[in-house]
Each structure stands twice: as structure tokens, then as C-alpha cells.
Amino acid sequence: MAPRLFDQRLALRRGWLSSGVWRFRELVDPELDEAAIVTLREGSTPLYDSSAVARWAGIEGLLLKHEGLNPTGSFKDRGMTVAVSRARRSGAQLLACASTGNTAASLAAYCAAARLACVVLAPLDGTAVGKLSQALAYGARTLLVRGDFDAALRLVRAEAARGGLALLNSVNPFRIEGQKAIVFELLQDLGWQPPDWIAFPAGNLGNCAAFGKALREALQVGLIERAPRLLAVQAAGAAPFAAAFERGFDALEPVAPSTVASAIRIGDPASYPRAVRAIRSTGGCVVAVEDAHLLEAKAVIDRAGIGCEPASAAALAGVRALVERGAVLRGERVVCVLTGHVLKDPDTTLAWQRGELEPQACGPRSGPEQIDATEDALRRALAAARARPDPPSGRSAGSGA
Ligand SMILES: Cc1ncc(COP(=O)(O)O)c(C=O)c1O
């Protein structure tokens, strides 16, 4: 298959083929008729190059694919356009998901656009306010479950098995088909020259499964000649996949998850078998990072003007950890997938900036500061701002710092 077909569509500004998912229609869902498609022009996200972020990671060739710049602020829109289109085509009456927040926001938006009824289940404790407010704004019936994500997913899966609703979590195969477009698009951004690694945060493992499938297919149809290695990064308090990797993927042992990064606070990932295949088939790696390190990575990404939600920054912290161990070589090219927007979880950002998060991580921090409503107070604050250049980024950076 010639990349030219997909490259020609880059010039389109309007219509469904201008979507960064449907641009790859032949590889995503060639059967679905155009009339059924529900799209918010997802995808076509930027691939950023920041020397400050690369320096912090300890390598030169680091790029950031910002999936937080999708219509609802996360990568979930990639899979949702396909899965909601399919659900509409099949005549589904009620669409539902369990969610740590981003899936709920995305499903709610696509259902609103398609005028379909939807219910979202999210954990009562710890669903980030940006995500919750989106689900409500787009009109989803929003149920806050007294339990964690894993409990909410068990509930909604059981109801789907009884035929009471259409399940739109990433166990829905069409979600995975859409999420493959993250990989197709980043390969396209790089002129179909694959990087050495693709790093991403891992929770329920839908992305890991999707990325592995995308790479297998890109090889099969001849879009690329070699596959990058996948690097899945978990938070240390919610790392059953990383633990299984360390044991040679003997079996998944679910955990009671705990991390500041609510999007990956998942202890019993649903896509484990497919994710194992993805890591094995690409010679990939799974690593866990402490909350303090992922928050530090977030502060570095935020200070570069790029910004992301806490879970997304795990990818960068994982790259740095592997560079320090010598598993990622300093000359290698790495693309980190930033999965969610900086505005998704403002409470965590504010708590970090106010120094309220435990354990304390180092890294750039800027306030906020209170001042009196006087010109004098403002002038003093301005003088302090001028005298205080950007602080260095936390722990000593790797080479090239
Ligand atoms: C921002 C963000 N990053 C990462 C993930 C984890 O993705 P996956 O469940 O596909 O592993 C999620 C899932 O909700 C998310 O919202």
C-alpha cells in the first residue's frame, strides 16, 4: 500500500476524510459507509520538538505527539469516532462506558454529536474535574460509582453481556481500530521513517494493544520496513503490567491501584493479553515510575509551553528512567505520546504548584502568589519575576544538560 494515498488527504481541510482517523480509513474501517460516520475532525495532532524536554530525558531525538489536542482533549476521540459510528450503524439505543474520565468525556461528546443516548460510570473519588465537567456539559447521564475504575468496568461489562447497553470501553474492537491511527499519523508525520521507540502511559492497555496492531499492519502493507519498540509506562502504585513484564509475562496479578495520575489508576487492565503480544512482537519494554517522577516530568512538559495531564507525563518519566539504565540509547529517536490536555486535571496542577502534593517531587514550580490590590505590590512582584529566571528542571538532567 502506497503512503501517497494517505499523504494526498493531508491537503483536505473539510469533510470526513480530513479527520486524522478517517484519513487512514482503509486501515481503520474500510467497510463502514460514509453516511454512518460521526466525526469531530479528530486527530491531526502536532508532533512537538522541545530541546528542554529532550534534555531532561537525557536524549537529543525526543518528540512529543500531543494527543491532548484532540477535540475533547484526549486520545480517546480517535477510537470513539469509529466505535460510536459503528454503534449508530448497528442501531444501538444506549451507549455506555466505565471511565477514569477521558473516555466518558469523549463518549459524551460523540453521542451528543450523533444525538444518541449515553451513560457514563466514573469513580466517585478521583475523577478529574475537567473530565467530569465535560461529560456533564455534553449531556451524558453521569453515574459516580462508590468504587474504583475496575469496579465500574465490571458493572458495565456485566450489563452489556445481558444486552442492556452497547459497551464503548476499549474492549470494544472498534475503539482499538481508531486508536491505531495515532501510530499511523505519527509515522506519517515522520515521513514514514519510524522512530526507535514509541513511549506512552499505560492503564487499561487499550493503547498498547492498538499500537502493536497498528505496527503489525503497517509492516504487512509495506508502509514501514521495521517497527519501533513500544515502551509502556505505568505509575508505580498501579503497575500490574510492569510487574508481569518483570516476571516474563507469566500471568497478570491485579493490584489495588494508587497514583496521583487518575487516568492510569487501574489495577486490573482489560487488554492484558493483546498488550503482551504488542510488547513481545516489537521487542518492547514496560516500566513503572514513581508519582514524584511523573509529576516532575509533567512540570517540565508544562514549562515548555506544551502542557499535559499527569498520566501523560509518565511516558517522559519512563524514557528518562530507561535512558538512565542504558536501555534507551542517547542517540535513539523516541516519540512520547501525550495522551491528555493540561486542563483536564487542574486540581492536581494547582496542588503541585502550591506544594501540597506528597511525596514532594522537585522540578519547576511557580506559585501562585497572593498580592494586595496596589500598584506598589504589583511593582514588587514584577521585580521579583524579572529577577527570577526560569528555574532549572529538578534532578540533574542527563548528558547535554
Ligand atoms: C490521559 C490518559 N492517559 C493514558 C490512559 C491509559 O490508556 P490505556 O487505558 O489505553 O492504557 C488513559 C486512559 O484512560 C488516559 O485517559
Side-chain angles (χ1 to χ4, degrees):
M1 182 175 277
R4 198 160 10 103
L5 171 67
F6 307 125
D7 291 346
Q8 276 166 354
R9 292 177 184 156
L10 285 172
L12 297 172
R13 303 289 300 158
R14 300 180 60 199
W16 64 286
L17 281 172
S18 68
S19 149
V21 171
W22 296 106
R23 186 192 315 144
F24 304 103
R25 170 199 197 178
E26 289 75 7
L27 297 173
V28 164
D29 192 349
E31 313 273 286
L32 189 65
D33 51 303
E34 186 185 332
I37 290 174
V38 187
T39 173
L40 294 170
R41 307 295 183 273
E42 46 292 315
S44 305
T45 57
L47 186 63
Y48 289 125
D49 178 355
S50 160
S51 55
V53 176
R55 205 163 43 239
W56 186 84
I59 50 174
E60 277 171 26
L62 184 109
L63 297 165
L64 302 161
K65 179 73 174 162
H66 206 332
E67 288 297 301
L69 299 182
N70 269 294
T72 76
S74 86
F75 73 93
K76 305 284 183 177
D77 298 341
R78 299 257 191 185
M80 213 51 87
T81 180
V82 184
V84 171
S85 299
R86 276 285 173 170
R88 174 159 86 165
R89 188 85 186 79
S90 69
Q93 298 296 309
L94 179 63
L95 282 60
C97 70
S99 174
T100 58
N102 280 328
T103 304
S106 184
L107 177 61
Y110 282 83
C111 283
R115 306 192 64 76
L116 292 167
C118 95
V119 176
V120 302
L121 280 73
L124 173 62
D125 287 329
T127 300
V129 68
K131 305 172 189 184
L132 186 58
S133 63
Q134 282 181 291
L136 293 165
Y138 297 132
R141 180 133 209 162
T142 304
L143 308 179
L144 296 177
V145 178
R146 293 187 202 94
D148 61 11
F149 168 82
D150 300 300
L153 183 59
R154 274 195 299 277
L155 274 180
V156 81
R157 279 183 103 163
E159 189 53 34
R162 282 191 285 272
L165 47 85
L167 185 60
L168 272 286
N169 277 96
S170 57
V171 289
N172 178 320
F174 295 112
R175 286 272 313 277
I176 299 297
E177 292 307 306
Q179 285 171 214
K180 291 184 326 194
I182 301 171
V183 164
F184 298 143
E185 193 176 283
L186 77 81
L187 292 171
Q188 183 174 44
D189 292 339
L190 294 171
W192 305 101
Q193 297 302 313
D196 296 297
W197 293 87
I198 299 175
F200 54 93
N204 212 22
L205 306 181
N207 262 341
C208 193
F211 292 6
K213 188 162 192 280
L215 291 172
R216 283 197 299 279
E217 292 174 3
L219 282 169
Q220 260 162 25
V221 301
L223 287 173
I224 52 172
E225 286 172 4
R226 65 167 183 87
R229 300 170 74 183
L230 293 179
L231 170 54
V233 187
Q234 298 208 285
F241 190 43
F245 175 76
E246 290 298 327
R247 297 190 304 266
F249 286 135
D250 55 354
L252 181 76
E253 287 179 12
V255 301
S258 161
T259 167
V260 68
S262 58
I264 51 175
R265 195 180 294 149
I266 295 172
D268 189 8
S271 294
Y272 176 73
R274 290 180 298 173
V276 170
R277 183 172 178 207
I279 295 296
R280 283 198 170 130
S281 66
T282 63
C285 186
V286 190
V287 70
V289 296
E290 298 295 335
D291 277 1
H293 295 165
L294 73 83
L295 286 170
E296 185 182 337
K298 171 175 156 56
V300 171
I301 294 166
D302 291 352
R303 275 299 179 95
I306 292 169
C308 66
E309 70 164 281
S312 307
L316 178 66
V319 172
R320 178 170 164 140
L322 287 203
V323 171
E324 282 171 356
R325 279 189 218 166
V328 170
L329 305 177
R330 292 186 194 279
E332 288 188 308
R333 285 205 313 165
V334 181
V335 176
C336 280
V337 178
L338 300 180
T339 44
H341 197 279
V342 68
L343 289 175
K344 285 285 191 172
D345 188 356
D347 289 338
T348 302
T349 304
L350 279 173
W352 152 266
Q353 292 293 345
R354 290 179 174 133
E356 292 166 1
L357 285 181
E358 293 294 337
Q360 283 299 325
C362 48
R365 202 186 306 267
S366 55
E369 295 161 51
Q370 294 187 12
I371 61 163
D372 293 331
T374 64
E375 289 184 12
D376 212 34
L378 176 61
R379 250 178 260 124
R380 274 200 304 276
L382 294 180
R386 275 186 213 104
R388 195 175 53 194
D390 224 18
S393 52
R395 294 179 293 157
S396 63
S399 77

